Amino acid sequence: MNFDFSDDQRMLRDQAQKFLTDQSPPRVVRDVLEDSAKAYDEKLWGEMAALGWMGTAIPEEYGGAGLCPEDLCVLAEELGRSLAPTPFSSSVYLATEALLLAGSEDQKQKYLPDLAMGETIGCFALAEGVGVPTPKNISVTASNGALSGVKEPVADGDVANFVVVLARSGAADERGMSLYLVDLDGVDRESVETIDPTRSHARLTFNGTSAELLGAEGEGWDLVQKIIDRAAVYFAFEQVGGAQASLDMAVDYAKNRFAFGRPIGSYQAIKHKLADMYIATELARSNAYYGAWAITTGAPDVSVAAAAARVAASEAFNHAARENIQTHGGMGFTWEFDCHMYYRRAKILSLNLGGERRWKDRLISQLEARNAA
Amino acid sequence: MDFTDTPEDAEFRAEVRGWLTANAEEKKPGAIYKAKYGEAALIPLSQEWQTKKFKAGFSGITTPLEYGGRGGTQIQQAIYDQEEVNFLVPRHIGSGIPLVIPTLLVYAKEEDKKQFIPEILRSDKLWCQLFSEPSAGSDLGGIRTRSERDGDDWVINGQKIWTSNAQHADLAILVTRSDPDAEKHKGLTYFYVDMKSPGIEVRPIKQISGMANFNEVFLTDVRIPDSQRLGEEGEGWRVAITTLMNERVSSGARPAPDFEDIFGLARDLEIEDGPAIANAAVREKLAHWYIQARGVDLTRMRTLTAMSRGQTPGPENSISKLVSAFKRQEIALFGMDLMDMGGGLMSRETTPMRAVFQEAALEAPSGRIAAGTDEILRNIIGERVLGLPREVRVDKDKPFRDLPTGV
């Protein structure tokens, strides 16, 4: 038994950590936060592309490195730790994975080599405003190869070259849902403000926009479940990285901030708070590791593993980011301190694939299904 | 990552499984809640089982061969534990295997190791742990039980408390204060003692549950030969730390009720709007407990992986008990809440799952206190894992006898 990353993977992690410490320090994240014209850090994206990160899990025949999902998880943790302001999650965990899962040979040939090089950015459009997207309420419709309707918020929809869209192609039920690929050139799109400006989001308005089926008609709902199961594990690693960074920041502050003549970290009120952040982060890390193993090997309980990783990681990062602010006291809620960048990212990451409440419900459904099997 | 066994480990697992199948009854689904913890009737069953294990080479898997163990690896021990939980077997009783053997291995004389360790592995002799005192629980360094040198003997006077199995034990490990003029952690001396020695009196403590799993132990002019000292005079704290380090490496068994039990109850029980499991509030809680239970199990696998590389398990193992003990209490109380107006009924015959939720609700408070309180474990994580500064200590660099004692 070896329930840890391999020596090669740990070397990859060290390299990624060093690279991101240099190239994605808080100042770079803050630049994107404060400059409304900046959707992401293009220089950072270019350097990540030069390292071949976007092609990590893309097979070599499509121009990728042909590594396994575990390797991508290693990178995800470091991207989460550094809050790297790039469209990596949309393009790699969602659009690329959708193509690998459901793309025809032509579609793979067309998109994957450019995705692997970071020259094309993909995104994934599921949400239609406030509320839970379900087969009953999805209102973007497809007919005769054209889409109509509005998707919002779409992470990186304002900077991507193409989008994978869930739309209604038939009845308002699971079998009436299909996935489509849409070239975003010429699509009406508008940046929207979210709680985390370091990750750009957009409103996409389709108006008879020409679209190409991804996977078979009527398979869209099932495909989305598979796509978000895998993405949930990658997101979980970003969240674990973010939780660890929040904890590290809080611990550092608690050692150096003095009150009543001693470091605040020597008071149990603070010490125990930090211990709880550590525990939540470690439990999330362990669940995420299992998720990585499950998606890499195609384990039969992959849906349970993915949901557990997602729930644990959402809880951990939201908790750690919130209590990091509390540990910093008054400075914690200033614009000047970096605490809020983690707080924003924690919440947006836990919403992007569906909220904590819904993933908890999904986890129990998956456990019921496993139990019935 | 790889969850498959190496060929050698696979062979060992097959051997273990074969032996267990031939010698024990496999657990059926819908787990059986056995006799209550600490019942005296379990002792002969446990001793019989330990002797069987010893003969087959499965007791003391990591204990060196010359002391009757198998001389195997931590991974083999973990494999054995993983397989054994699938069978209905009595657990080991007393402190012998988890605490005493690791301490004897470091501090005992050769002839004592040769005598006591095999006895413990066979469960011929049961041991208990005379550490805590009425005024020294979390702050173990504050013990007052005196040891005074008298020729080749030591004379012991004082009181211990929270001693599991003291009424059944043949021997005990004991920490005493030999020098009240020294600073508190420097005046301690550690012994082993025969529990049948004149001057030892054991009185059970009735707990919330009505059970008496713990005892008070009074020591009045108990004589212990100096040959039963473990470690140097005044070095007792260091020996005690060796013992306590092993308290935290838990076997991985999770006492009921845990996630599986509350998940089962929620599926079986009808509430006002259908099966409890269909209720959103119930699902939220279940999901949280699942990721905790699973997280603890998986964290243990990460620890085992580190151990297989030769690393020593560190204070990060405090997570396991801290999370599990609190979760158990929450699950027990919530299970009763699901049973609503009848949730307080304690009949093993009519209450779901043989009243395990109700019994555990009364027993669970002790789980959060024994073997390191929730608060002490958070201190350990804060100080030893995260490197936070210690609390200001007012008892440093002063003779023990000058410390304020309260009431």
Side-chain angles (χ1 to χ4, degrees), chain B residues 314-340:
Chain B
E316 62 276 4
N317 284 292
S318 304
I319 290 182
S320 174
K321 202 217 58 132
L322 178 54
V323 171
S324 303
F326 185 74
K327 167 165 53 69
R328 181 175 183 232
Q329 186 172 29
E330 281 193 305
I331 287 175
L333 295 169
F334 187 69
M336 293 166 69
D337 195 56
L338 281 184
M339 296 178 212
D340 208 72

Side-chain angles (χ1 to χ4, degrees), chain B residues 39-210:
Chain B
E39 274 182 13
L42 277 181
I43 290 176
L45 295 174
S46 168
Q47 285 177 317
E48 188 190 339
W49 176 242
Q50 281 302 132
T51 304
K52 238 183 193 180
K53 269 172 81 168
F54 179 80
K55 285 185 182 147
F58 296 124
S59 180
I61 288 171
T62 60
T63 306
L65 284 166
E66 62 262 43
Y67 307 121
R70 189 187 185 94
T73 64
Q74 297 276 7
I75 293 291
Q76 289 179 326
Q77 182 66 58
I79 289 172
Y80 182 85
D81 293 342
Q82 282 169 2
E83 295 299 320
E84 201 194 59
V85 293
N86 300 317
F87 292 82
L88 279 175
V89 298
R91 54 180 190 80
H92 170 69
I93 291 185
S95 311
I97 291 179
L99 305 181
V100 179
I101 290 180
T103 310
L104 293 177
L105 281 172
V106 181
Y107 291 102
K109 290 191 290 290
E110 192 58 25
E111 68 256 37
D112 284 353
K113 289 193 230 182
K114 287 243 158 66
Q115 180 188 342
F116 293 128
I117 295 175
E119 277 180 6
I120 293 170
L121 293 177
R122 286 191 302 264
S123 271
D124 283 353
K125 294 282 164 66
L126 300 188
W127 287 65
C128 65
Q129 179 194 9
L130 297 171
F131 275 33
S132 291
E133 294 185 8
S135 62
S138 292
D139 180 15
L140 181 66
I143 58 158
R144 298 180 196 173
T145 293
R146 282 285 277 128
S147 53
E148 287 169 287
R149 190 77 190 242
D150 181 24
D152 286 342
D153 287 350
W154 291 80
V155 179
I156 315 294
N157 279 287
Q159 184 196 342
K160 296 288 176 177
I161 195 169
W162 311 124
T163 314
S164 313
N165 299 300
Q167 73 276 45
H168 310 304
D170 303 291
L171 292 134
I173 42 177
L174 169 70
V175 194
T176 65
R177 181 160 308 279
S178 49
D179 183 3
D181 293 318
E183 199 251 355
K184 106 186 217 192
H185 291 99
K186 292 180 181 152
L188 305 179
T189 300
Y190 193 120
F191 303 93
Y192 69 85
V193 58
D194 186 335
M195 285 297 286
K196 306 292 181 292
S197 307
I200 295 185
E201 187 197 347
V202 176
R203 291 186 205 155
I205 301 170
K206 187 171 175 180
Q207 298 143 232
I208 302 174
S209 64

Side-chain angles (χ1 to χ4, degrees), chain B residues 350-362:
Chain B
T350 56
T351 308
M353 299 185 178
R354 305 200 65 194
V356 69
F357 293 93
Q358 288 75 6
E359 289 182 3
L362 298 181

Side-chain angles (χ1 to χ4, degrees), chain A residues 339-372:
Chain A
C339 304
H340 65 117
M341 299 199 301
Y342 296 92
Y343 185 63
R344 293 169 188 279
R345 182 64 65 85
K347 196 62 195 174
I348 206 79
L349 280 179
S350 78
L351 297 171
N352 272 163
L353 289 180
E356 251 183 82
R357 180 199 61 77
R358 188 145 65 89
W359 276 93
K360 286 182 176 171
D361 184 70
R362 186 180 172 95
L363 171 58
I364 299 304
S365 299
Q366 301 293 3
L367 285 166
E368 287 178 285
R370 184 175 76 176
N371 223 275

